[in-house]
Amino acid sequence: SQQGEEDPQALSIQEGENATMNCSYKTSINNLQWYRQNSGRGLVHLILIRSNEREKHSGRLRVTLDTSKKSSSLLITASRAADTASYFCATSTSGSRLTFGEGTQLTVNP
Amino acid sequence: DAGVIQSPRHEVTEMGQEVTLRCKPISGHNSLFWYRQTMMRGLELLIYFNNNVPIDDSGMPEDRFSAKMPNASFSTLKIQPSEPRDSAVYFCASSLRGKVSEQYFGPGTRLTVT
């Protein structure tokens, strides 16, 4: 079964609004990463948060991690039409391997 | 940096034919990953290499699938014989091993087996 599960599966918002996506996982992790995938493209790394961190920021992105609840959230503030993409969380438990969730499809309407 | 390079970008083949997908990782990266993405199953890790050595091939679906990494700058994923259910987008990714780091994905190869 997937280590990471994103919620919601699909999200549609208006430009300028904030978008929040959640990820839950099952086992202890070393770090959790978020990736974006535009249609027809490969995944692009957005941000990495280590298991001993609780919050991290990068530009309009804010990621939180709650290891007690085994969950993470990705917040995109002031969304733009160009943010339309699928967003995946990925967990690392050991070594180089990542396990990806099923993704959240975000649509930002202009 | 050119990023991870994959070829071909698109492949259409008939059932029973051999298919070879190619990947050139980012120079200096020593971990390489092959993934398959479908609507039904999402993104699946097929196999990964550290320093050209296969570490975990538990995701390889069947003996019809094989992967090699003869040197640090080249890897192949071969399907022989191909079947319609192998139709998917195949991604190659690379990263720096031994460091908490992100993976860099190639643009993918869209495989269609008819």
Side-chain angles (χ1 to χ4, degrees):
Chain A
S1 61
Q2 294 282 356
Q3 164 76 321
E5 295 183 4
E6 284 90 344
D7 168 51
Q9 289 189 334
L11 179 62
S12 182
I13 61 174
Q14 295 300 122
E15 211 166 21
E17 294 180 341
N18 295 341
T20 300
M21 289 160 272
N22 303 296
C23 169
S24 60
Y25 56 92
K26 296 184 173 69
T27 63
S28 297
I29 60 171
N30 292 334
N31 67 75
L32 185 145
Q33 304 179 30
W34 285 90
Y35 287 77
R36 183 180 78 187
Q37 184 179 31
N38 288 83
S39 180
R41 302 287 189 92
L43 280 72
V44 175
H45 179 264
L46 294 176
I47 195 165
L48 180 154
I49 186 164
R50 299 171 190 251
S51 59
N52 62 353
E53 297 176 310
R54 293 295 168 258
E55 188 170 311
K56 205 159 182 181
H57 297 256
S58 177
R60 293 184 297 112
L61 305 181
R62 173 177 166 250
V63 169
T64 63
L65 179 64
D66 187 335
T67 53
S68 66
K69 295 181 179 178
K70 292 186 170 59
S71 68
S72 173
S73 68
L74 170 67
L75 169 68
I76 304 174
T77 60
S79 63
R80 306 166 181 168
D83 295 328
T84 294
S86 292
Y87 291 82
F88 295 86
C89 70
T91 53
S92 170
T93 54
S94 65
S96 310
R97 179 183 182 133
L98 291 177
T99 303
F100 286 83
E102 296 177 356
T104 292
Q105 173 60 49
L106 172 66
T107 301
V108 181
N109 302 298
Chain B
D1 194 334
V4 175
I5 299 172
Q6 290 187 247
S7 65
R9 293 294 309 277
H10 301 273
E11 176 81 28
V12 180
T13 190
E14 291 183 348
M15 183 174 63
Q17 296 298 307
E18 177 180 296
V19 175
T20 300
L21 311 181
R22 297 174 175 79
C23 175
K24 177 178 169 53
I26 292 173
S27 177
H29 283 189
N30 47 16
S31 289
L32 183 140
F33 307 81
W34 282 101
Y35 293 90
R36 178 173 68 177
Q37 187 176 39
T38 62
M39 290 291 291
M40 291 294 292
R41 300 174 68 89
L43 193 65
E44 304 172 277
L45 176 66
L46 300 177
I47 186 171
Y48 80 94
F49 297 82
N50 283 342
N51 295 323
N52 313 339
V53 176
I55 301 301
D56 183 353
D57 65 353
S58 59
M60 297 286 263
E62 300 170 30
D63 291 345
R64 297 185 296 107
F65 285 69
S66 63
K68 294 182 179 179
M69 192 164 186
N71 57 62
S73 59
F74 184 65
S75 177
T76 59
L77 177 68
K78 185 176 292 186
I79 308 172
Q80 166 64 19
S82 58
E83 296 182 2
R85 60 194 168 117
D86 301 331
S87 297
V89 181
Y90 291 81
F91 289 102
C92 175
S94 68
S95 72
L96 282 170
R97 176 178 175 252
K99 175 184 173 182
V100 176
S101 66
E102 62 267 30
Q103 294 183 11
Y104 292 79
F105 281 72
T109 294
R110 181 173 294 277
L111 173 65
T112 302
V113 183
T114 61

